[in-house]
Amino acid sequence: EMSLPLAALPAPLSVREARAGVRWSGRADDWRLDLSDLTLGLRGPAWPAGDARIRYTPGETRIEVGKLELKDVTSLVQTLAPGPESSVPAAMRTGLKLWTGFRPEGALKQFQLLVQGDPKAPQDFALEAEMTNISTQPWASYPGVRGLSGRLKLRAQDGELMLASDQLAVNMPSIFRAPLALQHASGR
């Protein structure tokens, strides 16, 4: 097990298992970390994440990962949820709250995240990923889904979902007694 103290988090980030070829280059304010053939087990069994890269420069952070297993990421995020008095930045606190509410599972492939500005107070972001069999729980007034697949592109001001799902179900318990089931759903 590995434990990493991160300033923005209330407790050190613990990882159960990680294996990869590691290459680091740069200085404190301009660096790059490449992980080849990454195998990761955050809380659950280890899974192949493929190649990963983190690039940090003043004003921009870029993260790329071949594959993310969301069930394992969710189990880690649930341990990070800060209390109301936490020093965790508001944007991160909101993101952690949403993640723990929806409890996503499934996989994101070809994951790419670009954060512009200070990571603690980003000015803009862009996220792209191939979604495979995503499931979320209904939370607050939002529906849950099961079997969501397609390509996702998000920015702070807009987003696009190219849907390509078989056996998709949408769960809206405040409106329908049972999930709405679709044999196939595609579109933009």
Side-chain angles (χ1 to χ4, degrees):
E1 187 163 314
M2 176 173 55
S3 185
L4 304 169
L6 299 175
L9 298 176
L13 176 66
S14 293
V15 175
R16 193 182 65 72
E17 182 177 346
R19 290 187 307 267
V22 178
R23 182 167 178 242
W24 167 273
S25 61
R27 308 177 295 281
D29 64 342
D30 184 355
W31 54 267
R32 177 178 171 153
L33 173 64
D34 291 300
L35 303 170
S36 58
D37 297 320
L38 175 63
T39 298
L40 199 54
L42 303 173
R43 292 285 180 270
W47 41 274
D51 293 339
R53 174 177 299 119
I54 303 172
R55 171 80 170 139
Y56 174 82
T57 60
E60 185 174 289
T61 304
R62 184 178 303 270
I63 300 171
E64 299 173 3
V65 182
K67 180 181 176 187
L68 292 172
E69 286 290 346
L70 296 182
K71 183 175 184 176
D72 200 27
V73 174
T74 295
S75 66
L76 175 68
V77 169
Q78 289 173 327
T79 68
L80 301 177
E85 303 299 318
S86 171
S87 63
V88 172
M92 183 182 282
R93 219 175 18 253
T94 299
L96 291 171
K97 182 178 178 181
L98 288 168
W99 195 285
T100 58
F102 285 120
R103 296 187 310 273
E105 295 184 9
L108 295 179
K109 297 177 181 175
Q110 302 166 7
F111 176 86
Q112 298 176 25
L113 174 64
L114 171 66
V115 177
Q116 294 178 322
D118 183 342
K120 293 180 182 177
Q123 298 166 350
D124 197 8
F125 76 92
L127 183 147
E128 287 192 39
E130 186 74 32
M131 302 180 310
T132 304
N133 202 27
I134 301 295
S135 297
T136 64
Q137 299 299 312
W139 180 70
S141 60
Y142 301 101
V145 297
R146 186 178 65 246
L148 181 66
S149 295
R151 184 93 184 143
L152 176 66
K153 293 182 181 183
L154 288 177
R155 293 191 62 85
Q157 64 275 15
D158 58 24
E160 179 179 37
L161 172 62
M162 291 160 273
L163 189 62
S165 296
D166 292 320
Q167 305 303 318
L168 176 66
V170 180
N171 189 0
M172 296 183 280
S174 61
I175 299 173
F176 300 108
R177 288 181 291 200
L180 300 173
L182 302 164
Q183 287 184 346
H184 181 77
S186 63
R188 238 177 148 143

